[in-house]
Amino acid sequence: MKTTILNNGVEMPMIGFGTDLANDTLPYNEVMDAAVEAGYRLFDTASIYGNQPQLGEYLKQSELQREDYFLTSKVAQTEQGYEQTLAAFKQTAKELQTDYLDLYVVHWPKFGPFFETWRALEHLYKEGHVRAIGVSNFEVHHLDRLLTQATVTPAVDQIETHPYFNQHVLHDYLGELSIQHQAWSPLGRGAVLQDPTLQTIAERYGVSVAQVILAWHTQQNVAVIPKSGNPERMKQNLTLDFKLTVKDLARINALQRGERIMGAPDENYTEDKW
């Protein structure tokens, strides 16, 4: 599997598996079995998903060794603050039945405990409890503010990214800071999959629309964490053995509409005053 080297030297798979499977019709362990069999080795969770005990038990019972997979979790809004974040990490590690995380992320920026939360992540990183620390849903002004006090630059920023919301400005800024862009909802949660331009491109390459979108991401150095409960689609999402032309990349970039699936970070938390 293709990997990327984070700004602290840690190697991370470019394609991960989103483990928030609350709405899936198959039993959790069956979905995870299919994901492991397909070849996924990055598993992304968060305390707010409520599935960490399930995932931890699954991984403990699996044949995978801890060093064989990359495990990510996130600090929820209700867990932010210095002591609160340290306690949240301890609970997360317990639920996931692991001694360390490969990546620990601030799930959404929150004004009040903003710096204290990051200070706690830096402590966990420097003490060796996490191999890398990052952020999620941080835009340019959040990163600018964070870097006024941070002693460790985030390794990753997980942000909503898909052809209808391609984050090209933030993507370039992350590149300048050597922060890995990682896309959540990389397939746009369905609507994008019906796009005629993408369907035409997919037909020409003889692949699925989802494969086209994921190739578009990864060819532009965007890591992705797609989610699927369908074993065949899981395999397809890992099979990107074709290369989009420069013209096709440009056609997909031109689909940008500025359409988010979820509201902007500062809109989601209106009690915060930036």
Side-chain angles (χ1 to χ4, degrees):
M1 180 184 293
K2 183 180 179 182
T3 61
T4 183
I5 304 299
L6 303 180
N7 57 21
N8 66 346
V10 168
E11 187 174 16
M12 183 183 81
M14 283 291 284
I15 304 177
F17 188 73
T19 66
D20 182 16
L21 305 170
N23 298 319
D24 198 76
T25 56
L26 293 176
Y28 191 87
N29 282 8
E30 287 187 24
V31 176
M32 290 303 301
D33 279 341
V36 170
E37 184 178 347
Y40 291 92
R41 291 298 182 268
L42 186 158
F43 304 109
D44 180 275
T45 187
S47 62
I48 199 172
Y49 296 166
N51 70 345
Q52 291 186 155
Q54 265 184 304
L55 179 59
E57 185 61 25
Y58 174 82
L59 291 171
K60 180 183 179 182
Q61 299 299 327
S62 76
E63 295 183 359
L64 295 175
Q65 300 300 307
R66 178 62 186 88
E67 61 272 17
D68 292 338
Y69 58 88
F70 191 103
L71 191 55
T72 299
S73 188
K74 311 177 191 70
V75 185
Q77 279 13 77
T78 56
E79 299 169 338
Q80 292 204 35
Y82 185 79
E83 295 296 340
Q84 296 92 325
T85 295
L86 295 181
F89 172 80
K90 186 176 181 180
Q91 180 63 26
T92 282
K94 179 180 178 181
E95 291 179 351
L96 290 171
Q97 303 188 46
T98 183
D99 295 330
Y100 69 95
L101 289 179
D102 297 284
L103 176 64
Y104 201 34
V105 172
V106 182
H107 207 155
W108 291 86
K110 190 170 183 179
F111 183 82
F114 187 81
F115 291 115
E116 291 301 291
T117 300
W118 187 251
R119 188 165 68 89
L121 261 67
E122 289 187 337
H123 172 79
L124 292 167
Y125 174 65
K126 291 172 182 177
E127 290 295 313
H129 299 298
V130 295
R131 298 177 65 222
I133 53 177
V135 294
S136 183
N137 302 299
F138 274 48
E139 299 183 318
V140 171
H141 68 285
H142 303 121
L143 291 166
D144 283 346
R145 184 169 189 258
L146 183 67
L147 293 175
T148 63
Q149 294 191 25
T151 62
V152 177
T153 300
V156 172
D157 190 2
Q158 292 187 349
I159 51 178
E160 177 181 345
T161 316
H162 47 79
Y164 287 175
F165 192 70
N166 66 29
Q167 295 274 27
H168 62 280
V169 174
L170 183 50
H171 174 80
D172 291 344
Y173 188 65
L174 293 175
E176 292 174 11
L177 297 174
S178 298
I179 298 173
Q180 178 63 51
H181 178 175
Q182 188 176 47
W184 63 259
S185 195
L187 303 178
R189 293 192 182 171
V192 179
L193 298 174
Q194 307 305 316
D195 187 272
T197 297
L198 293 172
Q199 290 179 336
T200 298
I201 293 172
E203 288 172 5
R204 185 150 33 85
Y205 286 87
V207 297
S208 70
V209 171
Q211 286 173 293
V212 167
I213 295 173
L214 295 175
W216 168 75
H217 282 295
T218 56
Q219 282 183 226
Q220 299 180 106
N221 194 36
V222 178
V224 292
I225 36 177
K227 181 173 62 176
S228 175
N230 182 302
E232 187 56 37
R233 290 190 193 128
M234 290 182 200
K235 294 176 184 177
Q236 287 181 353
N237 290 346
L238 280 178
T239 308
L240 305 181
D241 51 357
F242 63 98
K243 188 173 182 178
L244 296 169
T245 65
V246 172
K247 286 185 177 180
D248 284 332
L249 290 172
R251 290 187 184 100
I252 300 171
N253 286 332
L255 297 176
Q256 161 74 349
R257 299 179 180 180
E259 293 182 2
R260 293 179 183 265
I261 292 169
M262 191 173 289
D266 295 345
E267 294 172 0
N268 286 345
Y269 300 98
T270 54
E271 79 278 10
D272 292 340
K273 306 298 180 185
W274 295 96

